[in-house]
Amino acid sequence: MSSASGFFTFALALTGAVGLPLCLGHTLWRFIGLSLSAATRVLGPRQPGVPDPRIPLVTGEPAQRAYWAQQMWVDTRSVAVSALGSIWYELNTEWLQRKAQRLFLGQRPANGYRGDPPIGRLMLILAAPGTAAGAVAGALLAAVFSCLVLAWFGLLLGGWWLVCGGAVVTLRGAEGLRKLVRGIRMKCPYPSCYRPFPLAVHRCPDCGAAHRALRPGRLGVLWHVCTCGKRLVTTAPAGSGRYATRCPHCDRQLPAAVGTTRVVHLPLVGGTSSGKTMLLAAMTAGLQSWSRRGALTVEYASATDQQDAGSLHQQLNTAGWALKTQGGQPRAFMLCVGHGRRRRLLYLYDPMGESLREAGTVREQQYLAHADGVILVADVLAEPQVQRALDDTDTARVTSARPSDQGPMETYQRLTGELAALTGRRGRIPVATVVTKRDVLDQITTLPVPGARIDTWLTAVGLGALVRGLTHDFGATRYWAVSAHAATGAGALDSEQRRAAEPVLWVLARTGLRTGSLNAEAPPVGVPGPRGGTVADRSRG
């Protein structure tokens, strides 16, 4: 027994004498180096925009998932498999199957040579257990080290995942809060659509790919990488507003200010030939007049709006009047109006007068559901009871002025019921009532002269029911009398233009744009003013 235990002790000591130095001096570092090298190869550089075959593509979106969202976990798994797999492969094939096995056979590990003398082969055989033990010990220690590194790396990645996820929640929350505070609600300005949407479609400036989810999320926190490799920022402060945007429903071009500026929807409602288009031109000219004085900033929202305004201006300069509004539902005429640091994207709708003749056609005007205010264009000369009060001379003047086919009372009755059904908030919508064709009214002798109180004047000419209805049905009403003819064309007057813009400024002021002070030129209530300035402001609650 003593000889057996002595031999075992000798073998153990010999194994330790060979294996320990081999482990600490060579195999441990070799296995660690192999595992790091294998991990580095797995994490090799990849070209931006080239899909990773290990990760499924995002359906319907031309962008890759962000690295933190999925790929870092795929890479971590690949690193772990590759690092530990390289240790096992090296241990099994190089050390156990080749070197240790040859040593046990008395062969040299490098080439399997057996020509050594017997004493040499004995030494090789005696070194075989220590070599195998040193290789196994080095592999185990390297595996433990790799596992510890991977665990630490996993904790860092978990922390980074929480940071990125928290950043997504924070940025989305901040964007939602910004839109809520500023009242930004994105809606399509085009006919047959007019639909709201939470996020516009952004076009890649390089390849034109449509990104429908350009916001912080699984595709990226601060930017998305397009399939072409272009980085697209995801937030408005970073500059996402500079990309071309389209409506996600009808795929038509949207103005650049959509999504960054509060939209104010303001339809002009009136019968055919009531002067809506002329009034629209006068209001636009008035806003630009205020801009030239430095009180406002006014810009066309798109090249199409600038072209439409130019065509209308040319028509007014040539013929002195605007062509009849044609087509079905109107496209919004869009202006960016700013005062101080605040801006509004103004949607002005000029529908055909025929669209308000019947309740069914009024219901088709879906833009009314988004109205932040209404401009009621009142052609008093079209009211039957007003026409009955005229003498022959005034009747001829009225006929030459081409009165509307629908009086303001009929227009109001068509509007008010359907507006309540479309919006559900009629009582909070301000209505600016604008009496048009003031230049003709000044020439009529059988009617009272419009003074400072246009609501009182409307009552005097037989439209008291209209005034009472507006006061009862809507949260705020105000009245103007405007000569759009004097505010447009080659001989337009700046004072008339600015007066024509007052209804728009009044509605904008009620949305938080501080333009109320620009109405200071209007006479106070009860004080006569020139040519029908602002005359009354009746607000409820």
Side-chain angles (χ1 to χ4, degrees):
M1 291 294 295
S2 60
S3 59
S5 63
F7 177 78
F8 178 77
T9 303
F10 171 75
L12 186 61
L14 182 60
T15 300
V18 174
L20 185 60
L22 180 64
C23 170
L24 299 179
H26 180 69
T27 58
L28 172 61
W29 311 111
R30 177 169 176 79
F31 285 128
I32 290 177
L34 286 172
S35 64
L36 293 177
S37 177
T40 302
R41 287 194 300 271
V42 171
L43 295 177
R46 299 182 185 277
Q47 182 180 354
V50 177
D52 189 329
R54 300 170 298 171
I55 300 176
L57 295 176
V58 180
T59 304
E61 191 69 13
Q64 288 184 321
R65 286 183 175 90
Y67 184 80
W68 65 271
Q70 184 173 4
Q71 185 171 338
M72 72 177 186
W73 301 116
V74 175
D75 283 344
T76 302
R77 183 170 60 251
S78 299
V79 165
V81 171
S82 180
L84 297 178
S86 66
I87 294 174
W88 167 251
Y89 180 82
E90 177 74 7
L91 173 66
N92 186 50
T93 60
E94 178 67 18
W95 290 90
L96 297 182
Q97 292 186 14
R98 193 170 70 87
K99 292 183 178 181
Q101 185 176 2
R102 287 179 178 179
L103 288 173
F104 276 113
L105 295 176
Q107 301 174 358
R108 293 182 182 181
N111 52 20
Y113 178 69
R114 301 187 61 179
D116 294 329
I119 188 65
R121 290 197 298 274
L122 177 62
M123 294 298 296
L124 292 175
I125 294 172
L126 293 176
T131 301
V136 171
L140 289 176
L141 291 176
V144 170
F145 174 79
S146 298
C147 289
L148 291 176
V149 171
L150 289 171
W152 175 75
F153 188 60
L155 290 176
L156 291 180
L157 292 181
W160 179 244
W161 185 88
L162 292 175
V163 169
C164 292
V168 168
V169 174
T170 301
L171 291 175
R172 281 198 184 184
E175 181 69 9
L177 182 61
R178 181 184 69 87
K179 290 182 178 179
L180 180 64
V181 171
R182 296 187 178 182
I184 297 175
R185 299 185 301 274
M186 294 181 287
K187 299 179 179 67
C188 181
Y190 294 101
S192 73
C193 188
Y194 300 129
R195 295 167 67 182
F197 50 86
L199 197 64
V201 177
H202 293 77
R203 292 284 185 180
C204 174
D206 285 359
C207 68
H211 292 256
R212 297 180 175 273
L214 189 60
R215 60 179 177 179
R218 61 175 182 165
L219 301 180
V221 179
L222 300 179
W223 59 75
H224 291 183
V225 179
C226 183
T227 52
C228 69
K230 175 73 174 179
R231 285 185 176 182
L232 282 73
V233 296
T234 59
T235 59
S240 62
R242 67 177 180 267
Y243 305 132
T245 56
R246 304 185 76 86
C247 173
H249 302 300
C250 66
D251 196 37
R252 283 180 278 191
Q253 186 75 33
L254 296 172
V258 167
T260 61
T261 307
R262 177 174 177 176
V263 178
V264 176
H265 300 263
L266 189 56
L268 280 69
V269 177
T272 304
S273 297
S274 61
K276 297 189 307 300
T277 305
M278 290 281 289
L279 181 60
L280 175 63
M283 289 175 170
T284 304
L287 293 173
Q288 292 173 336
S289 177
W290 281 115
S291 176
R292 289 191 295 270
R293 292 165 64 112
L296 293 174
T297 59
V298 180
E299 300 173 354
Y300 295 107
S302 68
T304 302
D305 298 300
Q306 186 172 7
Q307 182 179 357
D308 291 346
S311 300
L312 179 57
H313 181 71
Q314 183 178 3
Q315 170 68 22
L316 292 172
N317 285 340
T318 302
W321 49 272
L323 296 174
K324 179 179 178 294
T325 304
Q326 302 290 336
Q329 295 181 341
R331 172 192 176 273
F333 178 73
M334 295 173 285
L335 293 171
C336 291
V337 182
H339 184 264
R341 298 178 61 183
R342 300 186 181 185
R343 299 176 73 225
R344 296 290 183 269
L345 178 57
L346 183 61
Y347 282 19
L348 291 168
Y349 299 91
D350 179 18
M352 294 189 305
E354 293 85 350
S355 62
L356 299 173
R357 284 181 179 173
E358 299 179 359
T361 56
V362 175
R363 282 193 293 270
E364 293 175 358
Q365 311 303 307
Q366 292 298 315
Y367 56 87
L368 292 174
H370 312 308
D372 296 284
V374 173
I375 294 181
L376 179 61
V377 182
D379 183 4
V380 176
L381 301 177
E383 197 65 32
Q385 58 212 60
V386 173
Q387 293 179 352
R388 288 193 294 267
L390 303 177
D391 60 19
D392 293 341
T393 302
D394 288 338
T395 299
R397 291 193 180 99
V398 169
T399 302
S400 64
R402 295 182 298 177
S404 173
D405 62 349
Q406 182 174 291
M409 190 63 197
E410 184 180 356
T411 301
Y412 165 74
Q413 290 172 342
R414 293 292 186 197
L415 171 69
T416 182
E418 299 305 325
L419 195 61
L422 285 170
T423 68
R425 51 183 175 84
R426 185 183 65 186
R428 300 195 301 272
I429 296 177
V431 176
T433 302
V434 181
V435 176
T436 55
K437 305 178 182 178
R438 172 64 189 266
D439 52 321
V440 179
L441 291 171
D442 285 342
Q443 302 173 18
I444 295 178
T445 59
T446 51
L447 291 178
V449 177
R453 292 295 300 269
I454 300 299
D455 56 340
T456 303
W457 179 81
L458 286 171
T459 302
V461 299
L463 287 170
L466 174 64
V467 175
R468 291 189 296 272
L470 288 169
T471 304
H472 178 269
D473 292 332
F474 294 93
T477 62
R478 195 162 178 172
Y479 302 84
W480 285 263
V482 170
S483 172
H485 179 74
T488 56
L493 302 174
D494 282 349
S495 59
E496 290 296 326
Q497 290 176 340
R498 291 194 296 273
R499 188 169 293 116
E502 286 185 3
V504 177
L505 297 176
W506 178 69
V507 174
L508 289 176
R510 299 189 67 85
T511 69
L513 194 67
R514 297 174 182 174
T515 54
S517 61
L518 302 184
N519 289 342
E521 292 186 358
V525 173
V527 179
R531 296 183 62 115
T534 307
V535 296
D537 191 356
R538 296 170 177 263
S539 302
R540 293 189 299 144

